[in-house]
């Protein structure tokens, strides 16, 4: 059974940092591109970032470029999102998702307070 | 960026009646490889998104056959032939043809009348 389990969310002040993790199981992790998608409270879905199977190729939404870094460890079957210089508008549930969107984690809540 | 526009944004439906959600893109979603990367998701209250339809019209395993997707170019539709109580939630379309960024529609909230 495919599973994606996010962790690492929490409360942080503006300007702070958090590192999210997404532990994967039930499939060959290294065979898939992986995404982070976020959802602000009561709002719609917003794509954040994607990492290719090759580990080195990454792409970001303009809203997080230069502040967030996506990475993966294929030996540990884990996806990461390093979030720096956090802003109030980054407050959201962050989901990891397998490309092309067929499996999603349960999400982890990040709250940025001023 | 490709803008995805859904309508309606709110959809009250009587149990057993059909429902239809439109998703229009600001440019054609036909990729140079010939595929159209248009996906429909369902998000039930308090749950993660669930993929229902991919590549416009291919239904995911386990998705009831009352759900169907259609369309081409810039105009796409998700139809539910007979709405059931478990269909309550928000429905999103997503384009993956012209990225970055991947872009979602605003979401359509389906509720039972």
């Amino acid at each position: 059974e495919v599973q994606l389990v996010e962790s690492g969310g929490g409360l942080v002040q503006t300007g702070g940092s958090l590192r999210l993790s997404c532990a994967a199981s039930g499939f060959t992790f290294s065979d898939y591109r992986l995404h982070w998608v976020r959802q602000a409270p009561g709002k719609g879905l917003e794509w954040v970032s994607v990492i290719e199977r090759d580990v080195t190729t990454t792409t970001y939404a303009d809203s997080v470029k230069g502040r967030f870094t996506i990475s993966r460890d294929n030996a540990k079957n884990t996806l990461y999102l390093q979030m720096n210089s956090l802003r109030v508008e980054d407050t959201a549930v962050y989901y990891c998702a397998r490309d092309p969107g067929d499996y999603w984690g349960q999400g982890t809540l990040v709250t940025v307070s001023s | 960026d490709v803008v995805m526009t859904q309508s309606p944004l709110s959809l009250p439906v009587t149990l057993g009646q059909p429902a239809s959600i439109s998703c229009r893109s600001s440019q054609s979603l036909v990729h140079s490889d010939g595929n159209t990367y248009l996906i429909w998701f369902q998000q039930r209250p308090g749950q993660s998104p669930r993929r229902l339809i991919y590549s416009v019209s291919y239904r995911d395993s386990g998705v009831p056959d009352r759900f169907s997707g259609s369309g081409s170019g810039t105009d796409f539709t998700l139809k539910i032939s007979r709405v059931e109580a478990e269909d309550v939630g928000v429905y999103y379309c997503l384009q993956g043809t012209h990225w970055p960024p991947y872009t979602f529609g605003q979401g359509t909230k389906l509720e039972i009348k």
Side-chain angles (χ1 to χ4, degrees):
Chain A
E1 178 194 5
V2 172
Q3 283 199 317
L4 297 168
V5 180
E6 301 94 337
S7 60
L11 176 64
V12 63
Q13 289 192 320
T14 53
S17 298
L18 273 180
R19 188 197 199 200
L20 306 183
S21 299
C22 171
S25 60
F27 65 100
T28 304
F29 185 76
S30 58
D31 283 352
Y32 289 85
R33 306 167 77 227
L34 297 161
H35 299 261
W36 287 100
V37 175
R38 67 185 181 182
Q39 186 170 36
K43 302 297 184 183
L45 299 169
E46 179 189 14
W47 174 78
V48 172
S49 181
V50 64
I51 187 166
E52 304 296 335
R53 294 177 295 170
D54 66 6
V55 176
T56 57
T57 306
T58 59
T59 312
Y60 300 91
D62 286 346
S63 57
V64 306
K65 200 175 296 182
R67 301 186 299 121
F68 289 12
T69 302
I70 189 172
S71 62
R72 64 192 294 168
D73 185 333
N74 286 345
K76 294 184 177 179
N77 290 352
T78 304
L79 173 71
Y80 302 100
L81 187 67
Q82 177 67 43
M83 304 187 296
N84 298 331
S85 303
L86 282 162
R87 305 168 179 168
V88 170
E89 54 266 34
D90 294 320
T91 294
V93 174
Y94 285 74
Y95 297 100
C96 61
R98 191 177 83 167
D99 187 83
D102 56 351
Y103 289 95
W104 294 60
Q106 84 289 350
T108 187
L109 176 63
V110 172
T111 303
V112 185
S113 71
S114 55
Chain B
D1 297 356
V2 175
V3 177
M4 304 297 286
T5 303
Q6 289 184 227
S7 63
L9 299 185
S10 178
L11 183 56
V13 184
T14 300
L15 286 173
Q17 293 300 302
S20 180
I21 300 170
S22 169
C23 177
R24 290 193 166 92
S25 56
S26 58
Q27 57 184 281
S28 173
L29 296 187
V30 179
H31 194 275
S32 56
D33 65 8
N35 293 313
T36 300
Y37 296 99
L38 186 284
I39 294 174
W40 288 98
F41 295 95
Q42 173 195 60
Q43 188 175 32
R44 291 171 170 153
Q47 294 188 13
S48 302
R50 169 199 182 193
R51 196 179 74 177
L52 298 176
I53 303 283
Y54 61 96
S55 297
V56 181
S57 60
Y58 293 86
R59 198 167 43 245
D60 270 278
S61 174
V63 174
D65 60 7
R66 63 179 182 274
F67 288 92
S68 64
S70 63
S72 63
T74 62
D75 200 348
F76 304 93
T77 303
L78 176 70
K79 292 183 179 177
I80 309 173
S81 59
R82 295 172 306 279
V83 169
E84 298 189 5
E86 66 178 17
D87 300 336
V88 165
V90 182
Y91 292 80
Y92 297 93
C93 58
L94 167 70
Q95 72 83 21
T97 296
H98 303 289
W99 67 275
Y102 291 85
T103 46
F104 290 89
Q106 317 98 299
T108 294
K109 186 174 185 178
L110 186 149
E111 60 180 26
I112 305 300
K113 272 187 194 173

